[in-house]
Amino acid sequence: MTETPDPSAATSRRAVSSDRLFRTTLLWSAAITGILAVAGAAIGFAVGGTSGLWSALVAIILAAVFLGLTAGTILVANRWYGDPLYVPIFFGAVMGGWIVKFALFIVVLLVLRGQPWLNNTVFFVALVVSVVASLVIDVVVMLKMRVPHVGDVSLPTLADVIEEARRPSLPPAPPEEGNQSPPADAAAPRA
């Protein structure tokens, strides 16, 4: 005896409408990071020599990694969309990613502080330019993407409405035991 699989219990993952937005943000950020790395290395070398070159590259890569982690953790968490534990998984992944980024950023800054090859001015300017470029990308992608306001909701189809209308209605439920009124003849005094 072979059972036919239930199509309503499909295990295929439904895509979240925001996935496209975060993928586009990551792709644009990667392209801008490449452009900033080339420009920052050239400007850093012109301003501070080899020390300026490495300072600019480290700052740009650091900003790209940290800013890309947020979109990456959201994309990974969205893989559990539709699961009953989706909300805790989503917020756990995003908050965990932020905590890891915060701790890692402090560790990286403590390690880089006082390094003889680090040009602080070039590092700071390259870091700020990278963060501003990432924010501009986020704004442009948000303005240009066409994501529906209610994209992840399944509305009933005409077939669902017709099927619901054809179902036999249930008989009224019997009253609960504590809510029963006494029979009419029980209320009269007995002689």
Side-chain angles (χ1 to χ4, degrees):
M1 216 185 327
T2 316
E3 290 184 24
T4 59
D6 182 15
S8 64
T11 58
S12 65
R13 180 178 92 78
R14 275 185 39 204
V16 180
S17 60
S18 64
D19 282 354
R20 206 176 84 212
L21 181 113
F22 289 114
R23 284 190 187 108
T24 304
T25 300
L26 286 175
L27 288 173
W28 283 26
S29 295
I32 293 298
T33 298
I35 293 168
L36 284 177
V38 171
I43 294 170
F45 185 73
V47 170
T50 308
S51 155
L53 177 134
W54 288 113
S55 299
L57 286 178
V58 167
I60 292 167
I61 291 171
L62 182 68
V65 167
F66 284 108
L67 295 171
L69 274 176
T70 300
T73 55
I74 292 172
L75 281 172
V76 168
N78 278 347
R79 293 183 180 271
W80 281 273
Y81 180 74
D83 189 277
L85 293 175
Y86 170 68
V87 173
I89 290 171
F90 179 84
F91 285 109
V94 172
M95 289 303 292
W98 285 345
I99 291 170
V100 166
K101 284 190 335 183
F102 181 71
L104 197 59
F105 189 73
I106 290 174
V107 168
V108 167
L109 288 182
L110 288 175
V111 168
L112 291 178
R113 185 181 61 173
Q115 293 295 325
W117 56 269
L118 186 69
N119 186 325
N120 292 333
T121 306
V122 173
F123 181 82
F124 176 75
V125 170
L127 190 63
V128 168
V129 168
S130 297
V131 169
V132 169
S134 175
L135 292 174
V136 168
I137 288 170
D138 290 346
V139 168
V140 169
V141 169
M142 288 293 286
L143 290 175
K144 297 289 182 184
M145 287 300 248
R146 298 180 59 96
V147 177
H149 294 290
V150 187
D152 300 325
V153 176
S154 298
L155 297 175
T157 63
L158 181 59
D160 296 334
V161 173
I162 292 171
E163 180 183 330
E164 182 71 29
R166 288 184 179 165
R167 281 192 199 147
S169 61
L170 298 174
E176 294 181 18
E177 287 184 29
N179 295 337
Q180 292 179 351
S181 59
D185 62 343
R190 294 189 182 177

